[in-house]
Amino acid sequence: MATWDVIVIGLGGVGSAATYHLAAGGTRVLGIDQYPPAHDFGSSHGRTRIIRQAYFEHPSYVPLLRRAYQLWDDAEQRGGTKLFHRTGLVEIGPPDGIVIPGVLRSAADHDLPIQRMTPLEVSRRWPGIASDDHWQAVIEVNAGFLEVEQCVRTHLRLARESGASCVHGVAVHGWRSSGSGIEVQTSEGTERAARLVLAGGPWSAQLLGDIDLDLRVLRKHQYWFDPESSGFRMEDDFPCFFHETASGFYYGFPAFGGAGVKVARHSGGKEVGRMDPQHWNPQHSDDPEDLVLVNDYVSKYLPGLGRRLVTRAGCYYTMTPDEHFVLDTHPGFPQVVVVAGLSGHGFKFTSVLGEIASQLATAKRTRLDISQFSIQPRLRHRSDPNDNRT
């Protein structure tokens, strides 16, 4: 007999939100993670993540973002903790590139408020942001950043207050179908549930076991700089920023909470094989080539910031070939929900992805359109469909 209605494996951005929504709906839910809450061995850490609605990746994401905004505001109110800072976002790039046309398309399709500016107007308003003369800029005032660890901690706290059981420091060795339910083998024994949510981030391929989603895990790097000039703080109304340059995509955040200006490269990354966090320390990750590219970007497009590096950190992107998410039920086990491959742009969605995962696990449907996130087009079968040991 199942002890739980639902088990959630992975308590990062998506898993913590799914556990909260399940518990808030009266579901008996167990959340399991191999690390402490809001740990830095996965993808849901690094102090900040940009959140925006005029989505250059594809207009179809906008309805999800509208719901995500509502849920982040709700989590703030219920949790009594600031999560979302609406600093605004400046996006800059060539008029025939990817970012500017994509932002304009999403804004037009969904009637989103944006402001177009010239490079000169941007530099006059924010002297710390530069661009090439022929580029264009778009300002999204209702954008900003989320405090990523605080988001995870808040969802976990709300989940526990709603009746969820969340265990940390417990490894998952595998799961298997057991009648109409699921058995999960852990380092502490076997847990049984009617349904399962897999939200393993960079460990997703190992958790899936029997299927190959063609997921690539990239090691990424984040840097914090101590500004040499004034005007880079959130208190100075300095915004988040995103540049599309000839050497790739770069983004960053104003200095806040005593930390420096965070800058990172959205492009690139070194592919890693089977996940083993013992191979590196995320607080002391090092990629000289990546740092050279970031320093060159800072020198050219963030005048006055300087190169006084305060600290750095690493994280992971779990990539799908088309960079769209996987959000679906398992093709062999309909009682298993899979959320994977957020491809470096998923954290802003985790509030709504957690809600959708909880709906799929209980009602088996959601009213939001998730058809583009189907698992089937990316599926290649392996040999043993019943044993999912990692």
Side-chain angles (χ1 to χ4, degrees), residues 57-276:
E57 289 85 345
H58 199 277
S60 62
Y61 282 90
V62 175
L64 292 178
L65 284 161
R66 283 183 160 144
R67 180 58 180 158
Y69 269 54
Q70 294 171 350
L71 291 171
W72 287 124
D73 289 343
D74 181 69
E76 276 193 342
Q77 294 169 10
R78 292 178 183 272
T81 303
K82 185 68 175 175
L83 304 176
F84 185 175
H85 299 269
R86 285 172 166 82
T87 61
L89 169 67
V90 181
E91 294 176 276
I92 303 173
D96 58 350
I98 295 173
V99 172
I100 296 301
V103 170
L104 295 176
R105 178 186 173 192
S106 283
D109 286 359
H110 294 277
D111 194 26
L112 298 172
I114 59 170
Q115 179 183 358
R116 301 181 70 167
M117 297 180 73
T118 67
L120 180 59
E121 289 170 331
V122 171
S123 62
R124 283 175 175 170
R125 184 170 176 180
W126 298 288
I129 300 177
S131 59
D132 290 355
D133 291 341
H134 68 284
W135 286 357
Q136 295 179 0
V138 176
I139 316 301
E140 186 175 348
V141 177
N142 198 31
F145 68 86
L146 297 165
E147 294 194 45
V148 58
E149 289 92 349
Q150 196 67 264
C151 290
V152 173
R153 292 191 189 101
T154 297
H155 273 142
L156 289 175
R157 175 164 56 84
L158 292 173
R160 290 191 297 268
E161 291 173 357
S162 299
S165 178
C166 300
V167 296
H168 295 269
V170 174
V172 171
H173 298 312
W175 59 269
R176 65 187 299 121
S177 173
S178 175
S180 61
I182 292 291
E183 290 183 355
V184 177
Q185 297 84 36
T186 79
S187 55
E188 301 297 317
T190 299
E191 299 286 351
R192 295 173 177 84
R195 297 184 177 277
L196 176 66
V197 174
L198 296 177
W203 285 269
S204 292
Q206 290 160 235
L207 286 171
L208 285 165
D210 66 302
I211 60 174
D212 185 354
L213 276 177
D214 193 18
L215 299 174
R216 291 188 309 128
V217 178
L218 302 179
R219 186 176 298 169
K220 306 291 292 187
H221 304 274
Q222 307 164 82
Y223 307 92
W224 285 261
F225 294 86
D226 181 21
E228 294 181 351
S229 303
S230 61
F232 285 94
R233 300 177 305 160
M234 185 169 66
E235 294 81 2
D236 302 320
D237 292 325
F238 197 75
C240 298
F241 49 91
F242 194 106
H243 281 85
E244 179 181 357
T245 77
S247 64
F249 301 102
Y250 297 81
Y251 65 95
F253 306 81
F256 86 103
V261 174
K262 178 181 171 183
V263 182
R265 189 163 69 110
H266 186 57
S267 307
K270 298 288 182 66
E271 186 169 354
V272 300
R274 185 178 178 86
M275 286 294 295
D276 184 356

